[in-house]
């Protein structure tokens, strides 16, 4: 008899998600929001700064203008869609910066331990002693006033928290048997970190990223 085909981790994850109706509805809503924001010119009847009619300033919502008009006679629905694009850019890109910087630092500190861990954590202590908003304002002032620099400042300011979370997760993974097996066959430290440590310790980071996107959007605002 042919052996049954094994399901991948992604297939198992999707099956569990599909059984949770609340999570599935939330996923659908998030996808709709992302699509509408990404394709704002297709869903917005007016441009982001286009004036419908100055004489109709502060007009209330109706079938023609679902969110009404602002004090300058511009369509609030259209401006909301275009503004969502900026919010998504700030939230997602800043989290990608945090992921690219915080995960390697936390993985290296957690895996090697000893003086490497102490050095990384003490540097993060110094960095984290500065309040996040003050750090963002300082970095934005140094880099210059622009959306790109603001996103970069937000991403850099969030590195310590993610690095510490990754380090804590790595400390539990590095003592497992498959890591000892990888060391026994003389697999190098960088290879163990990339192929075994990070994939098995990344779950808490993924959860934190999904919540952190909203926090970054608020901080950027």
């Amino acid at each position: 008899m042919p052996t049954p085909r094994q399901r991948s981790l992604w297939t198992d994850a999707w099956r569990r998600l599909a059984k949770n109706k609340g999570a599935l509805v939330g996923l659908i809503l998030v996808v709709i929001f992302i699509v509408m924001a990404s394709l704002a010119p297709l869903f917005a009847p007016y441009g982001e700064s286009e004036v419908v009619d100055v004489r109709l300033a502060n007009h209330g919502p109706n079938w023609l203008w679902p969110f009404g008009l602002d004090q300058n006679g511009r369509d609030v629905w259209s401006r909301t869609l275009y503004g969502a694009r900026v919010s998504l850019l700030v939230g997602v890109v800043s989290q990608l910066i945090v992921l690219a910087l915080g995960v390697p630092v936390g993985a290296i500190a957690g895996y090697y331990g000893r003086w490497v861990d102490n050095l990384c954590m003490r540097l993060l202590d110094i960095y984290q002693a500065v309040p996040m908003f003050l750090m963002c304002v300082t970095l934005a002032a140094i880099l210059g006033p622009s959306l790109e620099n603001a996103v970069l400042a937000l991403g850099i300011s969030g590195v310590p928290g993610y690095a510490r979370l990754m380090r804590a997760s790595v400390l539990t993974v590095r003592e497992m048997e498959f890591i000892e097996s990888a060391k026994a066959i003389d697999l190098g430290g960088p290879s163990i970190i990339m192929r075994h440590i990070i994939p098995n310790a990344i779950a808490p980071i993924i959860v934190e990223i999904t919540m952190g996107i909203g926090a970054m959007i608020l901080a950027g605002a």
Side-chain angles (χ1 to χ4, degrees):
M1 294 178 62
T3 57
R5 185 179 179 181
Q6 294 184 347
R7 294 195 304 240
S8 66
L9 293 176
W10 289 106
T11 303
D12 289 337
W14 171 252
R15 288 178 179 271
R16 288 194 296 269
L17 178 63
K19 292 179 180 178
N20 190 330
K21 303 303 180 184
L24 197 58
V25 171
L27 176 62
I28 293 173
L29 291 175
V30 169
V31 171
I32 291 174
F33 291 152
I34 292 175
V35 170
M36 292 185 69
S38 303
L39 303 177
L42 297 179
F43 294 98
Y46 303 96
E48 55 186 318
S49 300
E50 183 179 351
V51 176
V52 178
D53 193 332
V54 178
R55 297 170 298 179
L56 298 175
N58 295 318
H59 193 286
N62 55 27
W63 290 106
L64 187 59
W65 307 304
F67 290 175
L69 304 180
D70 65 7
Q71 68 273 13
N72 295 314
R74 297 171 296 188
D75 181 34
V76 178
W77 165 254
S78 300
R79 291 175 60 77
T80 300
L81 289 179
Y82 280 102
R85 304 174 79 180
V86 179
S87 296
L88 285 175
L89 175 66
V90 171
V92 174
V93 175
S94 61
Q95 289 298 89
L96 290 177
I97 294 173
V98 172
L99 188 66
L101 298 178
V103 169
V105 172
I108 291 172
Y111 177 75
Y112 288 104
R114 298 183 180 179
W115 68 269
V116 176
D117 186 19
N118 288 329
L119 176 62
C120 292
M121 291 302 102
R122 298 299 77 79
L123 290 176
L124 290 177
D125 286 339
I126 297 172
Y127 188 84
Q128 208 167 12
V130 181
M132 175 181 175
F133 283 105
L134 180 60
M135 178 65 71
C136 290
V137 172
T138 302
L139 290 174
I142 294 173
L143 298 174
S146 70
L147 178 61
E148 292 78 9
N149 291 337
V151 172
L152 181 61
L154 287 171
I156 294 175
S157 65
V159 169
Y162 282 75
R164 290 182 180 279
L165 182 60
M166 188 65 190
R167 170 184 174 272
S169 184
V170 168
L171 289 177
T172 61
V173 172
R174 73 175 185 178
E175 304 300 332
M176 293 183 176
E177 293 180 356
F178 65 92
I179 300 298
E180 297 299 327
S181 300
K183 293 179 181 178
I185 60 175
D186 292 331
L187 200 62
S191 181
I192 293 176
I193 292 174
M194 294 300 298
R195 295 174 56 184
H196 300 288
I197 293 288
I198 291 180
N200 288 280
I202 199 68
I205 298 294
I206 295 176
V207 175
E208 186 67 21
I209 285 176
T210 57
M211 297 185 293
I213 290 177
M216 287 297 181
I217 291 175
L218 291 175

